Every structure is written in structure tokens, then in C-alpha cells.
Amino acid sequence: MKLFARSMFCACLALSAFGAARASDPEWTQPQKPFRVYGNTYYVGTHGLTAVLIASSQGLVLIDGTLPQNAAQIEGNIKALGFRLTDVKRILNTHAHSDHAGAIAALAHDTGATVMASAAGAKAIMLGGKDPEDPQFDQSSGFPSVAHVMTVADGGVVQVGDVAITAHYTPGHTPGSTSWAWQSCEAGRCVHMVYADSLGAFAADGFRFTDDAAHPHRVEDYQHSIDVIAALPCDILITPHPSQSRFLERVAGRDAGAKPNPLIDSGACRVYAEEGRAGLAARLAKEQAAASGRAAK
């Protein structure tokens, strides 16, 4: 467990240089063969960016779209699993950054699916990611917008056939950040699946989580989000960047026959949350030190 925690912490630190990474990380477009995660849940993203497909009795649900240029790759992965694009009925989103929502417009067009997100997330997707409320907001960033996005309430359920996916608002990384939870069953065993959104407290130059009169509860909301993820029933953790949770390494261990199955870990969400808590504390301490330095001048 300690090794798992350190690995996730290092992955989060690697993402902290968000500007350069978002523009140039080759793994974000590197092809990844699609595979079954567990039961009716499949991985259809790239090697460095997650997209999850959930099959129900009445169609498919896709969570996240990765980068705009990855749309064809995701569609190819869906078809490689034997599904039709028109079977995708809903597209959900964790947060409205180009590396997770960039291809949603193209995917919605090609599948005819309805796009759904949290209230703040829906607004950001319709703005094409140019949301001034976003800690990482940059005038140069953005992605193809979606004209209409349906809102899912906190604790709301997206029901497609026999699959129920619950939205858990986890604002912090972005105002609209959302984690998604559902159950998948395989060989008579049902497990709790959690696609937990990013918890990295990254921000553009000049942004402060603290001392923001316009958003006095931003830090409290962030801390509450971390608590929410820590408390979720969680057997299999999936994250927007596989590296954040060593997801592909755990899948490789599962496929190699490792015992116990490294993909199933009821403590994974708690570890992920605590690393997020440590990252937020470090960010707030840095802001406090900067404020103290300015006051001393």
C-alpha cells in the first residue's frame, strides 16, 4: 500500500507542470489496445489518457473523450471490442480540460449520444473549456465545444438499461470536477467501480485557492471532495490519467496472474484521496508562504 501511495504521488507531481505536459506528452496520443477492465466495463482510451466504456442492456455509456485528435482512435477502440458507435447513448465527463473532454464534440456527433456532466462541468464544456472559474484557465487553451450538455445533479443517477452510474461532485481540480461510480459483475461477483476525478491542485500563474473573495469556500469544497472520494465504496479505482493510480500496471499484473488480483483493492480510493490531500496542503502552504513574503516587504 505504501508503494502504491508513493507511485501515485509521483504521478501527480509529474502532472504539475500542466502547461507543458498538456501540450506535448506523447503518451496522451499513444495507441492502447482496448480491453475489458471488469464485467461490463472496458478501457478504450489511449496509453496516457483514460476513456471508459460501460455496456448495458440498452446501449453504451462512454466516460471522457481525451484529446480532440484522439476521437478516431477512441472510436476504433469501441469498434474493435465489437460494439457499434451508434450504441453509445450517453457521454459523461470528469472535468472539462482538453485532455479529457477535447474529443467529446466529435464523439457525440459520430455516435448521436447525449452529453452529460455536472452543472459547472456542463457550462465549461459548452464554453469549449474556456471557463474563467477554472484554476488552470488560460486564454490559449480550449477544445471544440458542445452546443447542448445535460446536467446531472450531485448524487444523481445516469440510468441506461440495467446500468446505474452515480455522479459525485468533487470540485477542486476544476469547479465542475465529477467522479462516477457504478457496479460491474463478473463470474458471479459484483464490485464497486469508481472513476475518480483528478485531485491535483494545479493552477495557472497568479491563481490562488486561498484569499479569493469571490470564491470563499473553494478550499473547503476541495477538502470535501477529497473526503467524498475517500469514503466511496471502491473495489476498482480508475483515474483520468492511468499513471495517477498505476492503472495499466495493475491491469498488467492482473493479466499476468498475480495473486491477489492487484486491480481489485478496496483501499485504493482512500490512498488516492490522501495523496490528493497532501498535494492540496502543499499548495496551500506555498500560497501562505508567498503571502507572508509579500506582507514582509
Side-chain angles (χ1 to χ4, degrees):
M1 184 66 74
K2 290 182 179 179
L3 177 60
F4 184 25
R6 287 197 299 271
S7 298
M8 287 201 294
F9 186 52
C10 290
C12 289
L13 287 177
L15 290 169
S16 61
F18 73 94
R22 288 168 72 174
S24 62
D25 193 328
E27 289 193 344
W28 291 11
T29 55
Q30 180 181 333
Q32 170 66 50
K33 183 177 180 180
F35 58 88
R36 186 193 302 270
V37 178
Y38 192 92
N40 62 348
T41 300
Y42 302 83
Y43 188 94
V44 293
T46 66
H47 190 73
L49 294 173
T50 300
V52 172
L53 192 70
I54 307 168
S56 82
S57 59
Q58 297 295 322
L60 307 170
V61 178
L62 178 68
I63 311 180
D64 279 352
T66 80
L67 290 165
Q69 58 265 46
N70 290 338
Q73 191 174 153
I74 293 173
E75 292 177 357
N77 284 345
I78 292 172
K79 291 187 283 189
L81 290 169
F83 298 115
R84 297 178 300 180
L85 294 183
T86 53
D87 288 336
V88 180
K89 304 303 181 184
R90 300 286 186 272
I91 299 176
L92 313 180
N93 180 231
T94 51
H95 66 271
H97 284 165
S98 62
D99 47 341
H100 307 293
I104 286 180
L107 292 166
H109 175 271
D110 294 346
T111 63
T114 299
V115 179
M116 306 180 74
S118 67
K123 174 186 173 183
I125 294 171
M126 290 188 286
L127 288 172
K130 294 186 178 296
D131 180 8
E133 300 291 306
D134 186 343
Q136 297 184 33
F137 174 67
D138 183 336
Q139 290 284 1
S140 65
S141 64
F143 53 84
S145 63
V146 178
H148 179 67
V149 181
M150 291 186 63
T151 296
V152 185
D154 188 15
V157 175
V158 177
Q159 186 82 43
V160 179
D162 57 352
V163 169
I165 306 168
T166 302
H168 296 278
Y169 283 17
T170 47
H173 187 72
T174 72
S177 285
T178 306
S179 298
W180 302 92
W182 66 98
Q183 284 196 349
S184 289
C185 302
E186 183 177 294
R189 180 184 180 184
C190 296
V191 301
H192 295 282
M193 312 288 295
V194 175
Y195 189 177
D197 197 18
S198 299
L199 291 175
F202 312 137
D205 291 344
F207 179 90
R208 290 177 59 81
F209 287 93
T210 49
D211 306 327
D212 184 350
H215 307 93
H217 303 295
R218 194 186 291 271
V219 173
E220 290 82 355
D221 289 346
Y222 211 145
Q223 293 168 334
H224 174 71
S225 297
I226 293 169
D227 292 340
V228 166
I229 290 176
L232 286 175
C234 176
D235 297 308
I236 295 180
L237 169 65
I238 306 172
T239 48
H241 295 265
S243 59
Q244 290 170 312
S245 55
R246 294 181 57 251
F247 180 71
L248 294 179
E249 290 90 338
R250 291 185 289 123
V251 168
R254 183 271 310 269
D255 293 346
K259 302 294 181 183
N261 182 350
L263 189 58
I264 300 177
D265 179 0
S266 62
C269 279
R270 292 193 298 274
V271 171
Y272 183 67
E274 290 311 309
E275 292 300 333
R277 197 184 310 279
L280 177 60
R283 170 73 193 202
L284 298 182
K286 182 178 179 180
E287 290 186 6
Q288 183 177 13
S292 298
R294 289 193 298 269
K297 289 182 179 179

